[in-house]
Amino acid sequence: MRFKIRRFDGERSYWQEFDVPVKRGMTVLEALYYIKENLDPTLSFRASCRMGVCGSCAVRINGKPRLACETQVSKLKEPVKIEPLKNFNVIRDLVTDFEGFFKKHEIVKPYLIRKSEGEIRQTPEQLKRYYIYTLCIKCGACMSACPVAKNCLGPMPVVSAYRFNEDSRDEGKEERLKILSDHIWHCHFVAECSEVCPKDLNPAEVIQKLRLEVLKFSMRW
Amino acid sequence: MSFHNVFAVLMKFDVVIVGAGLAGMRAAIAIAEKNSRVSIAIIAKTYPIRCHSVCAEGGTAAVLDENDSFDLHAWDTIKGSDFLADQDAVEFFVRECPKEILTLDAWGCPWSRTPDGRIAQRPFGGHSFNRTVFAMDRTGFHEVHTLYERMLMFPNIERFNEFFLTNLIVEDNTVKGVTAIDLKTGELVLFEAKAVILATGGAGRIYGFTTYSHTVTGDGMAVAYRCGVPLKDMEFFQFHPTGLVPSGILMTEACRGEGGYLLNKNGERFMKKYAPERMELAPRDVVARAMWREIIEGRGLEGDYGPYIALDLTHLGEEKIEERLPLIRETAMKFAGIDPVEEPIPVKPVAHYTMGGIHTNVNCETPIKGLFACGEVACISIHGANRLGSNSTAECLVFGRVAGERALEYVLKRDFKSVSRKEFEREESRIFDELLGRSGDESPYAIKRELNETMDKNLWIFREEKGMKEAVKKIRELKERYKNVEIVDKHRGFNTDLIQTLEIGYMLDLAEVVAICALLRKESRGAHYRLDYPKRDDENWLKHSLAYKTADGVKVDYLPVTITKWKPTERRY
Amino acid sequence: MPSLNTIAFYLHRITGVILAIYLCMHLGFLTTVKTGEYSSLIKVTLSRQFLPFDLMLFLIGIYHGVNGIRLIIHEFGFLYRHRKILLYLTFIITAVLWVVVAWEVVM
Ligand SMILES: Cc1cc2nc3c(=O)[nH]c(=O)nc-3n(C[C@H](O)[C@H](O)[C@H](O)COP(=O)(O)OP(=O)(O)OC[C@H]3O[C@@H](n4cnc5c(N)ncnc54)[C@H](O)[C@@H]3O)c2cc1C
Ligand code: FES
């Protein structure tokens, strides 16, 4: 199967083609490793867990941001075009710069803020209210798909903020809403983030829900 | 090619932690919580939330229920270890586990709950009480994220993401700092430190069929070993019974904890022959060996990728599978195209955990002053010859904290020792001139492939003298060939070719230690099973092996096991 | 090929910009009432040849309006689960409204 990969060596950017013998059940990540180990050792990409939980391997496959390790080669159209994520600066080949991404994450105070002490109880219902939003693996797919993320917070930090706001153990909701009130209005509801999220977290919905909360919160002031 | 004109980047921190997995991050937080003036650097070759710990699925053991007891947890652990664990360490460990669980709760870990809001616990292999705390079947993932998020609260922890450890700087048996490559720029950076904590995880990728992430290459172990720190009990490598065929992705023990069956080709629950009481929930080594026996003796099912065993969950029903094991279902569907609700999952035993590691005492101190180790990279030893499921994330948390606290005590009494420019330049030239600048005719990846094949063949679940001798010979040959590798990629920025070649060099050293220690241990204990010595031999072998690097190869010494109240007995489940 | 979500987003922006430019022109146009050139200009814009521009303007205005309502609905946190249907509806309603209006004007 033919792969077209977007290369960048620090100065020059170009397409390169590779032919990879495909086996049943092969993922795009395995194909990338095949290329690196057999055809061109200079190909750079990130990967770690190869089971869709670490978030290292997001790239654009045929235009859509996806996890390379979770994408079956057999389900793709030939030639398979692989490019680095959009809205990130490319360091090398498929490797993009995530420093800014994690800095944005920090802005929303993504940790449990809690002054009370003593035993904590949380019922399964309370857990369910926020649980799915804890599943964000911070792969950057949503940021790549969003047409406005480059100049604003983007979807990922908002999901994190929502996850803590909805946690019954948390006492920092107001702080976070205050921070979000500066950022949350940039969204244009393109909802592309929800389309590409590999964990189906629906960031677009979360943003809209939080807008209403930020609004309610600001009105009280 | 010479890079000496590159200005040496120098950083100075009281404590440098290498590895941002569960253990490393727990250590960082432990220090920062106690003292906000100590400067801490946490450096890792991946972003913290991309570490291997996110893969841990099943859970973390801790005594929380009043009907459970510390002694029972300790006994399970020691019996599981086939009596090679140091019992003083185990006793300390089990008492600390519950605190860590509650701490993580207060930091936001989304533990699964009982209907009245308490932390839920489930059964796990080798534990005689339901004491495994879990967060769905993504326990490690949630623990890592909780720690990472917590870490953001402390301004004195500075994170160096994507920095690759290359060496420790040691003088007069005291650590002075570390050198690391900044992947983004490709420059070598010197970190001067009063204390260094190694938390770089296991060495699983020396095997080919393994549950480990691609990044688990034992770098910390190899670096310490090269600096003269002994590696303890390296022959003990755990094999998990259930790796998904063909990728090796783990099907957690929770599948069996929740009631899954293991079936051979006759549809028989064969575990009743091997462990009539515990059945599928016997310790990992017992189950893995039973499965391998079934396969060798021709009772495995036949598939495209060779013989396998069926892990049957179909009788649990869709609802229970969806509620308790959603990740397992997703994984089986994505990576093997099989829906566990409808058909059994193809599995076979898989390399899963490095019991051995850097020799440390209960305080996580290594023989080198100022050098600490915790997590999977260390061997304290609470796992002995065989780790119990859900004890290792607990270990990372407990001993991560201990390492942090001890390192803090240590640095408060010390001053920096300066590192001479020469030492730094020597390291720089070793990597960039000797390795990157060299031309040769070997591909590092071919060497890795052959190493994996050898390990999978000769140091697998059943071992014997002949195979292991062959392995030692092969590994030595590969080490010779490694001297002639060529790194094709000559760029500095994000050179993964260079990094992987360095990793392969580390793995060769570790594989040699594993093979030699295994060859020397003439008994079967825990995960180390020899066909030619199938019995445990307490008289001669109730002792830890310590492997040192010397000028003429690996030298192995032995160290007695600490026994407090539990005398070795036969292990039966 | 970008998805419909993205197309809707870009169209909204483009139509917005065009409407803003139109608004400026319109205001400029109105100031000519004072200077007296208004009557000659109005003749041009009321001419038959100018009709296609008017029709385009309707299309742009209608799309921007309808899509704007869709966005407002979502931004209050409603009907997220039905976002696909709403998206299709936006295009359908725009088309229908435009055809009706154009019919009225042309006939
Ligand atoms: C699939 C799977 C499932 C598991 N499930 C369970 C379970 O249910 N319960 C349980 O108790 N245990 C489980 N374990 C075991 C447990 O996950 C590990 O033992 C534990 O996560 C190890 O954590 P760590 O912090 O020591 O190392 P890791 O999480 O491996 O972290 C190592 C860190 O070191 C860094 N590093 C490595 N080399 C270098 C270098 N050269 N330079 C710089 N940085 C470096 C890495 O980037 C990483 O940040 C499981 C293991 C596997 C493979
Ligand atoms: S490699 Fe971890 S998510 Fe793909």
Side-chain angles (χ1 to χ4, degrees):
Chain A
M1 200 156 173
R2 174 143 297 200
F3 281 75
K4 275 184 76 176
I5 299 182
R6 188 76 184 163
R7 306 286 310 264
F8 175 68
D9 61 9
E11 288 148 22
R12 216 161 49 91
S13 161
Y14 56 99
W15 288 99
Q16 195 176 356
E17 300 197 355
F18 299 98
D19 283 314
V20 178
V22 170
K23 280 197 231 131
R24 212 185 113 241
M26 191 179 205
T27 62
V28 171
L29 183 63
E30 278 160 346
L32 290 176
Y33 268 109
Y34 179 87
I35 296 172
K36 185 167 184 66
E37 293 180 5
N38 299 289
L39 305 175
D40 186 350
T42 65
L43 179 68
S44 297
F45 54 91
R46 285 198 186 98
S48 177
C49 69
R50 58 88 178 84
M51 53 190 275
V53 294
C54 78
S56 304
C57 67
V59 288
R60 274 187 301 147
I61 303 172
N62 286 342
K64 193 179 165 195
R66 310 177 68 166
L67 297 180
C69 67
E70 274 192 3
T71 306
Q72 289 282 322
V73 170
S74 59
K75 300 225 171 84
L76 297 171
K77 271 212 296 274
E78 232 187 312
V80 182
K81 275 205 318 199
I82 302 184
E83 296 160 90
L85 293 178
K86 256 202 267 190
N87 294 334
F88 289 86
N89 292 330
V90 181
I91 298 176
R92 182 86 194 272
D93 298 342
L94 303 174
V95 178
T96 48
D97 192 345
F98 266 67
E99 284 300 320
F101 175 85
F102 282 103
K103 284 264 146 47
K104 283 183 182 176
H105 178 230
E106 280 176 54
I107 293 177
V108 300
K109 305 204 169 175
Y111 35 76
L112 203 77
I113 299 175
R114 183 182 168 83
K115 305 227 161 54
S116 326
E117 280 170 24
E119 199 202 344
I120 298 170
R121 293 278 182 105
Q122 182 168 62
T123 62
E125 290 71 44
Q126 288 171 325
L127 176 67
K128 219 172 173 174
R129 280 180 66 88
Y130 71 89
Y131 183 74
I132 75 152
Y133 303 109
T134 61
L135 299 181
C136 171
I137 58 172
K138 318 234 166 2
C139 62
C142 57
M143 301 296 234
S144 172
C146 176
V148 296
K150 194 148 193 178
N151 307 312
C152 67
L153 210 52
M156 175 277 290
V158 182
V159 173
S160 273
Y162 190 75
R163 172 247 178 276
F164 285 100
N165 279 359
E166 292 300 303
D167 191 328
S168 60
R169 295 167 294 182
D170 182 74
E171 294 163 1
K173 185 166 179 172
E174 300 205 340
E175 275 175 60
R176 266 180 233 111
L177 289 180
K178 211 167 182 171
I179 297 168
L180 283 173
S181 65
D182 288 340
H183 299 281
I184 194 112
W185 308 108
H186 293 277
C187 170
H188 289 248
F189 199 79
V190 184
E192 207 62 71
C193 48
S194 296
E195 301 299 319
V196 301
C197 176
K199 301 289 141 186
D200 289 328
L201 301 187
N202 287 311
E205 181 182 25
V206 172
I207 297 174
Q208 311 316 321
K209 280 187 183 165
L210 267 175
R211 278 185 161 169
L212 208 60
E213 288 191 17
V214 170
L215 198 67
K216 281 192 213 153
F217 170 77
S218 326
M219 302 274 254
R220 266 196 306 159
W221 290 87
Chain B
M1 215 178 301
S2 169
F3 297 101
H4 286 295
N5 49 358
V6 180
F7 179 71
V9 193
L10 183 131
M11 315 257 186
K12 232 176 169 160
F13 289 90
D14 291 317
V15 186
V16 168
I17 299 169
V18 187
L22 276 179
M25 290 199 278
R26 186 67 189 87
I29 297 172
I31 304 171
E33 266 190 332
K34 286 229 155 136
N35 190 319
S36 59
R37 282 192 309 278
V38 168
S39 59
I40 306 155
I42 180 158
I43 71 180
K45 65 178 173 184
T46 58
Y47 278 90
I49 59 163
R50 321 252 192 254
C51 68
H52 167 67
S53 297
V54 289
C55 300
E57 298 173 347
T60 300
V63 175
L64 292 178
D65 192 300
E66 59 249 18
N67 297 321
D68 196 0
S69 78
F70 291 136
D71 270 2
L72 194 58
H73 187 186
W75 166 242
D76 286 339
T77 305
I78 289 162
K79 184 177 167 201
S81 80
D82 224 347
F83 298 92
L84 196 69
D86 284 326
Q87 300 187 0
D88 52 343
V90 175
E91 285 187 63
F92 170 79
F93 162 72
V94 297
R95 289 196 149 69
E96 297 299 310
C97 294
K99 295 180 202 156
E100 291 302 318
I101 301 294
L102 300 178
T103 307
L104 250 62
D105 194 12
W107 292 352
C109 188
W111 298 125
S112 292
R113 304 278 171 169
T114 60
D116 65 347
R118 286 170 211 266
I119 294 170
Q121 290 181 292
R122 67 174 160 207
F124 226 70
H127 289 282
S128 50
F129 199 88
N130 296 358
R131 70 164 73 89
T132 296
V133 176
F134 60 104
M136 302 292 274
D137 49 9
R138 304 181 181 91
T139 310
F141 173 83
H142 290 306
E143 288 172 345
V144 166
H145 279 244
T146 305
L147 289 180
Y148 173 69
E149 289 153 357
R150 184 74 185 177
M151 206 163 73
L152 299 177
M153 295 176 78
F154 299 99
N156 56 331
I157 303 178
E158 197 163 331
R159 300 184 297 283
F160 292 88
N161 304 317
E162 308 201 308
F163 278 64
F164 182 88
L165 167 76
T166 65
N167 220 338
L168 290 168
I169 298 176
V170 179
E171 195 185 76
D172 298 336
N173 202 34
T174 308
V175 74
K176 297 198 297 186
V178 304
T179 50
I181 300 175
D182 177 355
L183 289 187
K184 193 166 152 189
T185 61
E187 254 151 53
L188 194 70
V189 181
L190 172 65
F191 291 84
E192 281 187 3
K194 294 183 198 167
V196 174
I197 301 177
L198 287 177
T200 54
R205 282 277 157 185
I206 56 176
Y207 286 97
F209 190 62
T210 169
T211 58
Y212 278 98
S213 301
H214 287 288
T215 49
V216 188
T217 46
D219 309 353
M221 284 181 202
V223 164
Y225 170 69
R226 289 175 183 181
C227 289
V229 185
L231 297 180
K232 187 158 64 183
D233 292 341
M234 287 299 284
E235 62 272 40
F236 297 103
F237 222 100
Q238 182 167 76
F239 296 90
H240 194 286
T242 48
L244 181 66
V245 178
S247 54
I249 292 173
L250 179 78
M251 297 285 107
T252 147
E253 198 159 321
C255 300
R256 286 170 287 134
E258 299 291 350
Y261 298 149
L262 290 174
L263 306 176
N264 62 17
K265 77 171 178 202
N266 308 324
E268 180 190 1
R269 279 180 78 185
F270 54 84
M271 282 311 296
K272 63 176 184 275
K273 284 185 295 196
Y274 303 91
E277 259 178 58
R278 286 290 183 78
M279 298 290 287
E280 279 85 358
L281 287 178
R284 295 185 172 167
D285 58 328
V286 178
V287 181
R289 269 201 299 276
M291 290 170 68
W292 204 242
R293 247 288 118 76
E294 292 293 307
I295 289 178
I296 293 181
E297 290 172 7
R299 287 190 295 277
L301 291 86
E302 275 308 320
D304 290 349
Y305 300 92
Y308 67 89
I309 297 289
L311 171 61
D312 191 1
L313 302 178
T314 51
H315 57 281
L316 298 179
E318 178 158 3
E319 200 178 316
K320 187 159 182 189
I321 293 180
E322 247 328 289
E323 191 201 316
R324 292 300 189 93
L325 306 163
L327 188 66
I328 290 303
R329 186 176 184 200
E330 197 187 307
T331 314
M333 297 212 287
K334 267 194 193 128
F335 299 95
I338 280 168
D339 185 352
V341 171
E342 276 150 23
E343 44 181 330
I345 309 171
V347 293
K348 92 189 162 180
V350 57
H352 181 58
Y353 188 81
T354 323
M355 259 81 71
I358 298 174
H359 170 51
T360 72
N361 60 17
V362 192
N363 296 330
C364 301
E365 292 155 341
T366 66
I368 291 185
K369 281 208 215 78
L371 180 66
F372 299 79
C374 58
E376 199 173 336
V377 73
C379 179
I380 288 175
S381 124
I382 62 163
H383 305 307
N386 174 49
R387 165 186 76 116
L388 284 198
S390 71
N391 260 355
S392 69
T393 47
E395 178 198 15
C396 290
L397 296 171
V398 169
F399 289 100
R401 199 195 72 221
V402 171
E405 286 171 356
R406 295 294 157 162
L408 176 63
E409 270 172 35
Y410 177 86
V411 297
L412 291 178
K413 295 182 297 211
R414 306 269 153 168
D415 292 321
F416 283 104
K417 289 192 173 177
S418 68
V419 178
S420 75
R421 173 101 201 154
K422 266 236 181 59
E423 285 172 82
F424 179 76
E425 275 169 9
R426 206 181 313 130
E427 180 65 8
E428 207 173 35
S429 105
R430 179 179 78 89
I431 292 168
F432 296 120
D433 298 344
E434 287 170 33
L435 196 59
L436 188 62
R438 162 177 73 202
S439 49
D441 49 13
E442 286 285 347
S443 149
Y445 305 105
I447 294 184
K448 170 155 179 260
R449 207 155 32 231
E450 287 176 41
L451 172 69
N452 286 161
E453 275 162 21
T454 311
M455 297 301 285
D456 282 3
K457 184 161 154 249
N458 296 320
L459 287 147
W460 199 243
I461 297 175
F462 294 124
R463 302 168 171 184
E464 59 187 330
E465 177 131 355
K466 188 163 149 279
M468 287 189 284
K469 278 200 169 135
E470 242 170 62
V472 173
K473 197 165 136 243
K474 179 77 190 178
I475 294 165
R476 288 195 174 137
E477 176 205 315
L478 291 175
K479 280 180 86 164
E480 273 313 304
R481 280 168 52 191
Y482 181 80
K483 291 187 182 143
N484 197 26
V485 289
E486 164 146 20
I487 298 171
V488 179
D489 190 347
K490 304 286 186 205
H491 287 276
R492 292 299 286 271
F494 228 97
N495 188 337
T496 47
D497 201 17
L498 169 66
I499 298 302
Q500 292 193 8
T501 306
L502 284 168
E503 288 173 350
I504 291 163
Y506 293 147
M507 288 195 281
L508 286 170
D509 277 7
L510 296 176
E512 187 185 14
V513 173
V514 171
I516 288 178
C517 289
L519 183 62
L520 291 179
R521 186 174 281 272
K522 294 195 166 63
E523 65 156 351
S524 291
R525 183 185 294 275
H528 174 66
Y529 188 84
R530 288 187 60 153
L531 292 169
D532 39 2
Y533 300 91
K535 283 256 151 32
R536 194 175 86 196
D537 176 2
D538 285 336
E539 213 160 289
N540 298 310
W541 289 102
L542 187 58
K543 55 189 180 187
H544 300 292
S545 26
L546 288 183
Y548 292 84
K549 185 183 167 77
T550 64
D552 26 55
V554 188
K555 189 184 114 225
V556 183
D557 249 358
Y558 293 93
L559 188 78
V561 175
T562 313
I563 300 215
T564 56
K565 38 182 159 170
W566 293 280
K567 294 278 165 291
T569 58
E570 202 196 330
R571 219 165 134 243
R572 198 183 284 132
Y573 287 93
Chain C
M1 179 64 194
S3 72
L4 202 56
N5 295 299
T6 310
I7 294 174
F9 163 74
Y10 282 115
L11 281 181
H12 198 72
R13 292 210 142 178
I14 295 167
T15 54
V17 170
I18 294 176
L19 286 175
I21 294 171
Y22 167 73
L23 192 70
C24 296
M25 281 165 55
H26 180 64
L27 290 176
F29 197 101
L30 288 183
T31 54
T32 59
V33 174
K34 267 196 191 145
T35 57
E37 289 152 12
Y38 181 75
S39 51
S40 54
L41 279 175
I42 194 85
K43 272 207 194 97
V44 180
T45 53
L46 282 182
S47 67
R48 191 109 198 131
Q49 291 84 333
F50 213 79
L51 195 59
F53 288 105
D54 284 338
L55 293 181
M56 280 312 290
L57 185 66
F58 293 149
L59 181 59
I60 288 169
I62 293 169
Y63 173 77
H64 198 80
V66 176
N67 195 46
I69 292 171
R70 176 181 75 95
L71 293 178
I72 291 170
I73 292 173
H74 285 313
E75 286 179 7
F76 278 111
F78 300 126
L79 297 179
Y80 170 80
R81 302 274 146 183
H82 306 288
R83 63 190 193 283
K84 282 276 162 66
I85 297 173
L86 248 57
L87 188 63
Y88 298 137
L89 270 182
T90 301
F91 286 96
I92 295 171
I93 293 176
T94 304
V96 171
L97 276 182
W98 184 62
V99 168
V100 171
V101 172
W103 187 265
E104 288 290 321
V105 174
V106 175
M107 286 299 129

